[in-house]
Amino acid sequence: MATPAERAAKTFQSFIEGKKVLIADPGAAARAGLAKALNELGVKMHQIQLAKSYDEASRLIHEHKPHLVLAEFELGKSSGLNLLQEQRSQHADAVKSLFVLVTSNTSQSAVAQAAEEDVDTFVLKPYTLEVLRSAILSAAVAKLQPSEYSRAIEEGKRLLFDGKPKEAMELFEKARKLDSKPALAFFYHGQAQLMQKSLDGAEGDYQQGLNHNKIHYKCMVGLYELLMEKRSFVEAYDVVKRISRYFPANPKRMTQVLRLAVMTKSYEDVERYYQVFTGLDRRDEELIKYICAALVVCGKHYLQTGFQSRALSLFEKAATTGIGRANLLREVIGALLAYELKKEAGEFLAKFPPEIRGGADYLAMEYAIIDADADAAHAVDRGRKILAKDIHDPLVYQILIHRSRQAGVDENADQLAAEAGRRWPDQAASFSSGSHPLQKARK
Amino acid sequence: MSSDGDLINPADFRSLAFEVSLHNDTTNTALQEGKRVYGKKRSDRSDEDLSIRVLELAPTGMVLEVPQSSCSRGHRIQIKLSTLNAPERIEIEALAQVEQWERMENGKERIEVRFLRHDSKLWSDLLAVFSARQQEILDFFHAVKGD
């Protein structure tokens, strides 16, 4: 009578027979070791392709369509995790392929990303052969000989995909009785509820799923998205905070967290998220934009509430993180001038990169700072000189119009307002009013 | 465990790693602190990648990736190993024999070594640390997937 381990080995060997395998690892010795380990599991050496870089692995996946991929997380310019989607693009039925991450990177972000992406299993380096073998065989058995619970869920998912939510719900209800912690069944039941526009029903399902498993990723995300749809931002923020605690590396998630932190006025949280942000391995442009914007909004809040040094600290962080971003510096300088912090505004003006100091953004902010200490005549003269250089910026016009009226040159102010209105029709009202753009902010 | 009874504290996720140095008793050369040592003389060359990586752990030995010309099959080497980021630092010194040797395409060498003399309790402790971390991570991994 075969032992479970022997049966698992046989299952794997039947699965892998005649199929291609890819090992993607920048280390030659690591690739050799994994190939040897697979050979001992019954994989023939001619079935195994080796790749030392992401690009090479991607090419081999498209060429050979491997059913088993062993990938290192760190593959140079791209994460090995991205190969999962490439493999899945070659095998529409995910049940027929296996993806194993074999990596020394056990940082929270790496593990969380792997779980989020639905990798089949995760093996730490250095590994023992026993651990590697056990991980691969367990993943193979789970995929190829799913439990009754998993089968019911997969069948239900197929019905959902076919647009049959009622029939799918029956299967998920059956599945719930087949596992002691059926969070996944609750999640899909919730998805079926959503398809039938029952938001409350879906919310109940996700919550029940989380009662069984507090960190069930799909239930957390499902609940978050539903709360956003219901515009329950405070509750949504609570959920996304929880998600980001375990899945900090997803830049898209971070941007959602930041947006909600600002919307719910959770300004202290923004500073904590900044610390998380500084620890991230990868930061995309959108995330940088969001963190900078959040820091500036928080800074403005602290200026408003009298915490000047805290505001300056946040502005400093924003300027450092969003280095060279003119629009960011404009926001900061504008906020500081609105609170008459001219010296500090000048310090941020100095952060403009030299190569853009001849441009509209820099000249406009320089003008705003000079205007703060100048009399009307001097301010008008300065403004006209900027326009004479063919530099056109709404702020320059707004200040110049206001100062022209102050100087008693109303006809000139009217002409400028008309011209500015033509250039920027959506701001026409602000030009006509002639009020100072930065003094308005303080109110 | 965190206050809300979560499965694992995310702060526990720190990559385990090793600091490794090696002395080849057969050739009287060594790899220490990123430098080659010939007898008592330390090389000043800085253009070589002299890192040593632990690839596999076995009950009575291990597999290492070592710089080229560190050793050969049959050589006896002394290995000093220290864990980094483990719950408790483990330091092991062992005498081992190179059982398998293979040159890789990047010039480095893959060696399989068998211990001739080592502290078996310490080695078991080390294997247990890695095994526990593997299990911890798999538990978290499967919990969040909910499968």
Side-chain angles (χ1 to χ4, degrees):
Chain A
M1 177 91 158
T3 63
E6 283 164 350
R7 285 201 300 274
K10 261 199 128 44
T11 301
F12 175 73
Q13 279 153 21
S14 310
F15 162 71
I16 208 65
E17 195 176 338
K19 297 200 172 81
K20 293 282 189 204
V21 176
L22 173 70
I23 296 171
D25 195 303
R31 291 195 298 276
L34 288 169
K36 198 169 169 216
L38 287 178
N39 188 232
E40 286 173 19
L41 281 176
V43 182
K44 309 265 188 306
M45 294 310 273
H46 69 82
Q47 291 175 258
I48 302 174
Q49 306 284 326
L50 303 176
K52 59 178 174 286
S53 69
Y54 184 90
D55 288 344
E56 192 179 358
S58 175
R59 181 181 58 77
L60 289 170
I61 285 175
H62 289 271
E63 219 172 284
H64 298 282
K65 305 179 193 343
H67 283 79
L68 170 62
V69 173
L70 270 61
E72 161 60 63
F73 187 86
E74 308 284 352
L75 266 184
K77 64 174 190 186
S78 240
S79 164
L81 203 45
N82 295 338
L83 292 174
L84 173 60
Q85 297 314 318
E86 305 231 24
Q87 185 199 30
R88 288 204 173 145
S89 71
Q90 302 301 317
H91 296 287
D93 187 353
V95 170
K96 295 198 165 71
S97 64
L98 282 175
F99 191 98
V100 180
L101 216 52
V102 186
T103 180
S104 53
N105 185 344
T106 59
S107 63
Q108 181 190 351
S109 60
V111 179
Q113 274 184 65
E116 202 173 324
E117 297 281 343
D118 252 349
V119 159
D120 290 299
T121 194
F122 193 107
V123 176
L124 269 60
K125 286 180 187 170
Y127 50 81
T128 63
L129 284 179
E130 194 42 50
V131 160
L132 181 69
R133 180 191 156 92
S134 169
I136 293 174
L137 295 185
S138 302
V141 167
K143 256 298 173 59
L144 305 166
Q145 292 175 353
S147 62
E148 213 183 327
Y149 173 68
S150 296
R151 279 204 308 273
I153 290 189
E154 285 304 311
E155 226 180 294
K157 278 165 70 177
R158 269 191 288 273
L159 288 168
L160 270 185
F161 188 74
D162 290 341
K164 297 174 181 173
K166 280 206 177 84
E167 293 92 321
M169 280 167 79
E170 284 173 19
L171 275 170
F172 298 134
E173 279 152 25
K174 175 186 160 192
R176 290 200 301 228
K177 296 173 190 151
L178 297 171
D179 196 281
S180 59
K181 291 190 173 186
L184 195 61
F186 274 107
F187 167 73
Y188 282 113
H189 195 271
Q191 294 292 93
Q193 299 262 37
L194 269 186
M195 273 180 86
Q196 298 180 102
K197 311 282 186 232
S198 168
L199 296 191
D200 289 342
E203 187 177 344
D205 279 328
Y206 299 144
Q207 293 283 16
Q208 284 195 76
L210 289 170
N211 288 344
H212 284 289
N213 178 347
K214 283 182 177 23
I215 54 171
H216 193 261
Y217 177 70
K218 287 181 166 77
C219 282
M220 283 199 283
V221 171
L223 183 60
Y224 163 74
E225 287 172 356
L226 188 146
L227 289 168
M228 287 297 287
E229 200 175 319
K230 286 171 89 171
R231 303 185 70 77
S232 304
F233 296 128
V234 172
E235 290 94 335
Y237 182 50
D238 280 342
V239 176
V240 83
K241 268 197 292 189
R242 189 170 174 76
I243 297 172
S244 71
R245 178 169 147 77
Y246 290 102
F247 305 93
N250 185 331
K252 190 174 161 210
R253 183 97 344 93
M254 257 225 108
T255 60
Q256 291 164 345
V257 168
L258 287 164
R259 219 174 102 227
L260 278 171
V262 169
M263 281 166 77
T264 57
K265 300 187 184 352
S266 309
Y267 299 117
E268 298 213 354
D269 288 351
V270 172
E271 293 184 75
R272 278 195 289 107
Y273 295 138
Y274 176 75
Q275 296 311 316
V276 172
F277 165 84
T278 57
L280 291 180
D281 300 328
R282 292 183 167 90
R283 299 165 214 156
D284 65 19
E285 189 56 36
E286 201 188 332
L287 179 59
I288 293 172
K289 196 177 88 180
Y290 266 86
I291 194 79
C292 290
L295 287 167
V296 170
V297 168
C298 282
K300 287 181 179 178
H301 163 75
Y302 287 124
L303 271 183
Q304 212 170 28
T305 50
F307 293 99
Q308 185 181 313
S309 59
R310 211 159 168 187
L312 287 169
S313 165
L314 291 175
F315 288 153
E316 192 62 51
K317 284 172 177 154
T320 306
T321 304
I323 196 161
R325 284 168 172 79
N327 57 337
L328 178 75
L329 290 169
R330 285 188 71 133
E331 281 292 325
V332 169
I333 293 168
L336 291 167
L337 286 175
Y339 287 87
E340 297 181 347
L341 295 167
K342 292 168 257 188
K343 176 177 155 288
E344 290 80 359
E347 284 162 9
F348 279 90
L349 184 72
K351 292 180 193 295
F352 268 86
E355 60 271 17
I356 61 171
R357 287 191 185 182
D361 290 314
Y362 179 83
L363 292 172
M365 299 326 293
E366 185 188 43
Y367 178 46
I369 292 171
I370 289 168
D371 171 67
D373 275 332
D375 58 38
H378 184 59
V380 167
D381 179 58
R382 194 71 194 228
R384 283 178 181 166
K385 280 179 176 154
I386 294 175
L387 296 188
K389 288 184 197 175
D390 206 23
I391 302 281
H392 300 281
D393 185 278
L395 182 65
V396 171
Y397 276 88
Q398 284 166 338
I399 295 173
L400 188 49
I401 291 164
H402 172 77
R403 291 301 216 154
S404 296
R405 293 206 195 284
Q406 265 188 347
V409 202
D410 285 326
E411 197 181 311
N412 197 37
D414 290 340
Q415 279 172 355
L416 286 168
E419 190 190 334
R422 275 192 299 276
R423 286 180 182 273
W424 301 283
D426 53 329
Q427 296 179 56
S430 70
F431 300 124
S432 307
S433 75
S435 55
H436 196 291
L438 297 177
Q439 285 165 4
K440 234 194 298 187
R442 210 177 316 157
K443 291 175 199 159
Chain B
M1 294 275 271
S2 64
S3 59
D4 57 3
D6 293 321
L7 182 67
I8 193 166
N9 183 353
D12 289 340
F13 286 112
R14 284 187 309 247
S15 290
L16 290 177
F18 286 105
E19 223 164 46
V20 188
S21 63
L22 188 155
H23 182 275
N24 188 331
D25 285 356
T26 306
T27 60
N28 198 22
T29 57
L31 292 163
Q32 285 167 4
E33 295 167 359
K35 297 282 183 197
R36 284 196 196 266
V37 181
Y38 303 95
K40 288 186 179 150
K41 204 170 162 195
R42 201 176 178 91
S43 164
D44 287 327
R45 265 184 83 180
S46 56
D47 56 341
E48 271 190 285
D49 175 8
L50 294 178
S51 57
I52 303 172
R53 261 184 245 225
V54 179
L55 300 176
E56 282 174 40
L57 302 168
T60 53
M62 52 188 170
V63 178
L64 301 166
E65 180 192 71
V66 297
Q68 68 175 351
S69 309
S70 301
C71 55
S72 197
R73 193 155 181 256
H75 285 194
R76 291 194 171 200
I77 57 176
Q78 287 187 56
I79 302 169
K80 265 191 204 173
L81 209 68
S82 311
T83 55
L84 299 170
N85 296 327
E88 275 178 39
R89 189 172 167 93
I90 298 177
E91 291 182 351
I92 293 178
E93 290 187 34
L95 178 65
Q97 179 151 309
V98 180
E99 300 282 305
Q100 302 279 347
W101 176 97
E102 193 182 346
R103 171 151 295 151
M104 299 285 109
E105 69 208 40
N106 59 355
K108 295 203 107 175
E109 292 162 2
R110 182 176 181 277
I111 60 172
E112 290 182 29
V113 304
R114 175 176 61 86
F115 294 137
L116 297 175
R117 192 175 62 235
H118 73 298
D119 185 328
S120 55
K121 165 131 193 352
L122 264 183
W123 186 246
S124 295
D125 288 347
L126 185 127
L127 292 183
V129 164
F130 274 82
S131 181
R133 178 57 66 90
Q134 170 75 47
Q135 195 53 52
E136 239 174 35
I137 281 170
L138 273 182
D139 286 345
F140 171 76
F141 181 74
H142 288 296
V144 301
K145 282 177 62 159
D147 57 13

